[in-house]
Amino acid sequence: MSDITLNPKNIPAERLLHVSHLKKYFPITSGIFKKHVGDIKAVDDLNLYINEGETLGLVGESGCGKTTAARCILRAYEPTEGEILFRNKKQEYVDLAHMSDKDLRPLRTEMQMIFQDPFGSLNPRMNIFDIVSEPMLVNGIRNRKEREERVVDLLKKVGLRPEYMVRYPHSFSGGQRQRIGIARALALQPRLVVADEPVSALDVSVQAQVLNLLMELMEDMGLTYLFVAHDLSVVRHICDRVTVMYVGKIVETAPTEELYYNPRHPYTEALMAAVPIADPRLQQDRKGLPGEVPSPAKPPSGCYFHPRCSYCEDRCKTEVPELREISPNHWTACHRAEVLSLEGLKT
Amino acid sequence: MTDQKPLLSVRDIKVYFNLDEGTVKSVDGVSFDAYEGQVLGIVGESGCGKSVTMKSILRIVEPPGKIMEGQVLLSKRDHPDEYLDLTSMNEKGKEIRAVRGGEIALIPQEPMAAFSPVHTIGNQIIEAIMLHCDVNKKEAREICIQSLKSVGMSMPEKRVDSYSWQLSGGLRQRAIIAMAIAGNPRLLIADEPTTAIDVTTQAQILKLLKDLQRERGMSILFITHDLGVIAQMAQYVVVMYLGRVMEKGPVDSIFHDPKHPYTQALLRSIPSAQKTTKIKLPTISGSIPHPFNKPKGCPFHPRCAYAIKGKCNVNLPSEYIVGDQQYVSCFRYEKSEVNIR
């Protein structure tokens, strides 16, 4: 298996989601005739897979396209190009990228999203029962009694008291609101849950509660998560495998431990070095990464990371590196991956 | 360090907000000292009063907030043994305006909102310099360029004439730091300076602040909710919860020998890049109470595993010395107080 793209026939059986060559370009227009002058390559040739029952972390700095990628996978955005193969309940692979909205509808129940902002993602004029039961209503569960029972069940599951059903979002704290958002996402018993920065808006003491809840629910309900985050400590805690994105491209994918302790891409190394460690005895030597993240509208030539990379060679400036499997399950997009010895997290 | 005189001494400060619905006691008796050349970290979750404490030092608490009690003492630049009481000054007076920016400078939280979009960053920094130093416009511009250079901005001669929206998040944050240090302050207050920016840029900014602090020998009051940043930046840490200081001490004691149940629980509950994965994190039960119905007694007692009934929910614990420079506000240490000094 040298190429990450596969045709539907030889996909390993455990794959729930298999994304290949996904692209999402947003056109840049100018003038009154909206002339097309360029593209913002928010997601540029993304390849990843998620096995059933696994948590894949998608990390990167702001503007790297991780949220766009997540939204494309759920078809909240129309992808420009590429394939998104998803195994539905009948164990058949369907290509989400090329489906019509009508065909997608039955599949929507199987994929749900948890949002970042617990304040913006709940309608303040709806009470908790209405919020959590709305997905059921949309998908044809009209019996009020049945819906009520299920909402009670869901609220208990996410650690909220069922009596709260009649209250409105304003009477809840950030952590509780996030629990409501999780209950809503689970209302239709999805198989794939895309969590877009689910804990980054929460306080530290509440963050741990929500992370524990997400892990419990995963076991109880047999969920598979795509966990989008920028906080590497949180990702380390919850994910089985981690994918690192930089300017719309994947630079590295590996099992969590492997990625943190044995990174094979200079950008991953720099990310690891930048994480502030909550231990004053481990004083970090901050070499720091020079420069800034380039704009996805005008990415650099060759490897997108080369202007900031301290291991850059002539080749890196012209040739775009392919994502390749350097050791089993460890994928990296660096020309010099074999020769470099990079430093992971300090123990 | 014990015989050194503090640069800034906050003594039992109380800031209350009188609202129609009731009184919010945002800061309820906070004391700490900041020494010269030291990075003092204030850490706490949202609503713990860390930003209001900062505002009360600079006397920029918005109405209806009011400083009810307490003192903020700042040593004089020429006579370090004499102190100015900032709380007794007129909020709009000449004296406090000389302190703001001149003695104590602020790096605000949002780099987006800190600059006016219709003036160049140069003009805004020059305005600040001319307020505090006796220089003409040309000299001020020179200082401004120097200051931009010292925060690591490339092409400062060109960037001085750019607008804030032309700069990226990291550069804007650098420009704000340049503005803050242009008046040559002795104390820099950094209010969550890196929360809005990415990890790699955060690492750059933290390094810059550390270097500036060393070069200029100024003190930094570093306010954040990120324990990782505090561990890497501060020498002395103040842990706050619901307007009270729970514990304060040298950074090593706080992280390796925390005494207060809140500090202990907080440190256990953070997922760390070092810890093993996939285990359940120990959590602090419940959530932070709403400021209107702050619990009686120790503010942490409803969530505390060691709460003593009839004591913690009735009385406020005072501060007990538990180690070298380490103070804890918890009844568990009432009897075991160590007498080091």
Side-chain angles (χ1 to χ4, degrees):
Chain A
M1 200 171 94
S2 61
D3 186 11
I4 202 162
T5 49
L6 299 160
N7 62 47
K9 276 153 220 131
N10 60 12
I11 292 179
E14 68 271 18
R15 296 284 151 84
L16 180 70
L17 183 81
H18 193 103
V19 178
S20 46
H21 302 297
L22 181 71
K23 286 179 188 168
K24 176 69 192 170
Y25 293 174
F26 293 100
I28 309 167
T29 54
S30 140
I32 47 165
F33 297 113
K34 300 265 186 261
K35 204 178 124 205
H36 183 229
V37 290
D39 286 303
I40 293 175
K41 297 178 180 176
V43 174
D44 196 8
D45 205 14
L46 188 87
N47 296 300
L48 58 84
Y49 61 83
I50 310 177
N51 294 331
E52 186 132 37
E54 178 183 64
T55 303
L56 177 73
L58 190 57
V59 301
E61 295 181 272
S62 57
C64 75
K66 51 191 195 300
T67 299
T68 309
R71 295 201 167 173
C72 282
I73 288 169
L74 291 182
R75 273 296 299 275
Y77 285 151
E78 192 90 9
T80 310
E81 234 182 275
E83 269 184 336
I84 304 164
L85 296 177
F86 179 73
R87 197 175 58 194
N88 64 14
K89 274 186 184 136
K90 292 175 214 142
Q91 308 298 323
E92 293 162 349
Y93 284 98
V94 285
D95 184 3
L96 301 177
H98 297 102
M99 271 178 132
S100 67
D101 285 349
K102 207 178 142 220
D103 291 340
L104 265 172
R105 266 213 122 148
L107 282 166
R108 296 256 186 225
T109 64
E110 300 187 30
M111 312 175 289
Q112 290 292 327
M113 188 153 183
I114 299 169
F115 297 93
Q116 172 173 11
D117 179 8
F119 293 87
S121 61
L122 303 178
N123 187 338
R125 287 165 170 258
M126 284 164 86
N127 68 22
I128 303 313
F129 171 75
D130 288 336
I131 289 171
V132 177
S133 70
E134 197 183 20
M136 302 175 200
L137 203 59
V138 171
N139 282 280
I141 304 169
R142 304 232 165 253
N143 185 331
R144 171 136 188 143
K145 195 126 204 222
E146 191 190 337
R147 276 189 287 143
E148 237 160 55
E149 271 167 27
R150 282 175 71 171
V151 171
V152 168
D153 231 36
L154 282 163
L155 290 183
K156 276 189 195 152
K157 236 178 207 153
V158 297
L160 290 173
R161 278 197 251 145
E163 304 92 271
Y164 290 170
M165 219 154 71
V166 289
R167 297 199 191 170
Y168 287 83
H170 68 84
S171 51
F172 294 94
S173 68
Q176 286 173 319
R177 282 172 197 230
Q178 201 57 304
R179 286 171 193 267
I180 295 164
I182 293 172
R184 175 178 59 187
L186 300 179
L188 296 168
Q189 288 163 332
R191 291 158 67 226
L192 176 69
V193 174
V194 175
D196 189 3
E197 306 258 15
V199 296
S200 52
L202 304 177
D203 273 311
V204 215
S205 72
V206 184
Q207 214 175 54
Q209 294 171 2
V210 173
L211 281 178
N212 282 348
L213 173 69
L214 286 172
M215 286 197 286
E216 268 168 41
L217 290 170
M218 177 169 183
E219 264 172 42
D220 292 353
M221 303 182 66
L223 303 174
T224 303
Y225 289 129
L226 175 62
F227 195 92
V228 181
H230 70 276
D231 186 332
L232 288 161
S233 318
V234 170
V235 167
R236 162 89 199 260
H237 191 78
I238 196 165
C239 296
D240 299 299
R241 287 191 307 122
V242 180
T243 285
V244 184
M245 277 182 83
Y246 185 72
V247 200
K249 281 186 183 296
I250 286 181
V251 296
E252 192 168 2
T253 301
T256 311
E257 297 286 299
E258 171 94 4
L259 185 98
Y260 278 61
Y261 288 105
N262 186 18
R264 304 300 289 271
H265 193 286
Y267 178 62
T268 317
E269 182 192 41
L271 269 186
M272 294 302 153
V275 184
I277 301 172
D279 184 350
R281 287 182 193 169
L282 284 170
Q283 279 297 329
Q284 286 160 295
D285 166 36
R286 295 181 186 281
K287 273 182 287 177
L289 205 53
E292 304 253 340
V293 181
S295 152
K298 233 196 212 163
S301 63
C303 172
Y304 288 179
F305 187 59
H306 88 257
R308 305 175 76 189
C309 183
S310 50
Y311 308 101
C312 170
E313 278 185 338
D314 286 345
R315 191 172 151 205
C316 305
K317 292 176 188 160
T318 49
E319 274 176 60
V320 181
E322 285 288 310
L323 188 67
R324 59 207 164 89
E325 195 168 22
I326 187 159
S327 60
N329 268 322
H330 196 146
W331 301 76
T332 181
C334 175
H335 289 306
R336 306 192 60 206
E338 280 87 354
V339 280
L340 295 177
S341 68
L342 302 175
E343 205 179 314
L345 212 61
K346 278 180 214 154
T347 36
Chain B
M1 202 185 278
T2 41
D3 31 84
Q4 199 192 339
K5 285 263 163 49
L7 173 70
L8 178 90
S9 179
V10 175
R11 294 191 187 161
D12 203 26
I13 193 122
K14 289 182 181 170
V15 184
Y16 294 175
F17 287 77
N18 285 312
L19 303 174
D20 295 344
E21 296 94 326
T23 306
V24 176
K25 299 177 177 177
S26 292
V27 176
D28 204 7
V30 166
S31 315
F32 57 83
D33 292 333
Y35 293 91
E36 206 161 292
Q38 188 192 48
V39 181
L40 177 85
I42 300 185
V43 65
E45 299 177 274
S46 58
C48 75
K50 51 191 193 300
S51 288
V52 178
T53 308
M54 171 280 282
K55 285 180 180 162
S56 67
I57 294 172
L58 283 169
R59 295 297 308 279
I60 48 171
V61 179
E62 306 97 340
K66 237 179 154 177
I67 300 175
M68 308 301 284
E69 252 178 70
Q71 287 177 305
V72 178
L73 302 173
L74 179 76
S75 79
K76 286 185 183 162
R77 202 182 270 253
D78 320 318
H79 307 280
D81 288 343
E82 286 171 40
Y83 285 90
L84 293 165
D85 185 0
L86 304 186
T87 44
S88 65
M89 287 178 181
N90 178 1
E91 224 168 279
K92 290 178 180 142
K94 222 174 182 175
E95 291 170 299
I96 190 75
R97 279 189 290 155
V99 170
R100 287 180 200 146
E103 304 288 331
I104 307 176
L106 172 71
I107 301 173
Q109 190 164 354
E110 295 221 354
M112 254 322 191
F115 278 113
S116 156
V118 293
H119 299 95
T120 62
I121 57 161
N123 278 339
Q124 294 178 61
I125 298 173
I126 288 166
E127 188 188 357
I129 296 168
M130 288 178 71
L131 272 175
H132 293 290
C133 311
D134 187 23
V135 288
N136 63 30
K137 202 156 185 194
K138 213 174 153 199
E139 287 162 329
R141 192 182 160 89
E142 212 41 56
I143 299 173
C144 170
I145 291 171
Q146 275 310 316
S147 167
L148 285 174
K149 205 180 205 166
S150 67
V151 297
M153 204 179 265
S154 55
M155 304 179 289
E157 299 85 1
K158 237 176 105 187
R159 290 259 163 75
V160 73
D161 293 319
S162 55
Y163 292 91
S164 66
W165 41 266
Q166 292 170 320
L167 306 175
S168 66
L171 282 179
R172 209 178 290 136
Q173 193 62 282
R174 279 173 198 267
I176 287 166
I177 296 172
M179 176 144 82
I181 61 168
N184 209 8
R186 286 181 294 156
L187 177 70
L188 195 63
I189 301 182
D191 184 12
E192 307 251 11
T194 57
T195 15
I197 50 187
D198 287 311
V199 264
T200 55
T201 324
Q202 167 174 294
Q204 291 174 1
I205 299 291
L206 293 181
K207 184 172 184 299
L208 171 69
L209 283 174
K210 248 185 178 169
D211 291 349
L212 286 173
Q213 188 257 331
R214 266 192 218 123
E215 281 162 28
R216 298 172 165 243
M218 55 181 181
S219 312
I220 298 182
L221 191 63
F222 202 96
I223 300 170
T224 181
H225 68 273
D226 190 330
L227 289 159
V229 172
I230 279 286
Q232 295 299 319
M233 287 297 290
Q235 279 120 44
Y236 195 81
V237 180
V238 177
V239 183
M240 284 182 72
Y241 182 77
L242 276 181
R244 299 270 305 170
V245 173
M246 296 282 112
E247 183 168 4
K248 56 189 178 190
V251 67
D252 198 73
S253 317
I254 294 290
F255 280 87
H256 288 282
D257 190 18
K259 292 286 201 266
H260 197 283
Y262 175 66
T263 323
Q264 292 171 348
L266 196 64
L267 284 168
R268 271 199 305 263
S269 69
I270 44 166
S272 137
Q274 268 78 36
K275 277 184 216 156
T276 39
T277 51
K278 287 274 171 185
I279 44 153
K280 246 185 131 177
L281 286 168
T283 57
I284 308 177
S285 58
S287 53
I288 304 166
H290 195 274
F292 281 130
N293 32 34
K294 221 152 110 176
K296 220 177 157 239
C298 169
F300 187 59
H301 86 262
R303 303 175 75 187
C304 180
Y306 307 100
I308 310 161
K309 227 181 166 186
K311 191 160 198 180
C312 293
N313 54 358
V314 183
N315 300 319
L316 258 180
S318 49
E319 273 179 0
Y320 305 107
I321 307 170
V322 287
D324 185 22
Q325 306 260 342
Q326 194 176 0
Y327 300 83
V328 164
S329 165
C330 177
F331 283 121
R332 291 176 73 207
Y333 301 95
E334 198 176 13
K335 295 196 177 74
S336 60
E337 194 169 358
V338 201
N339 282 315
I340 284 195
R341 277 193 294 180

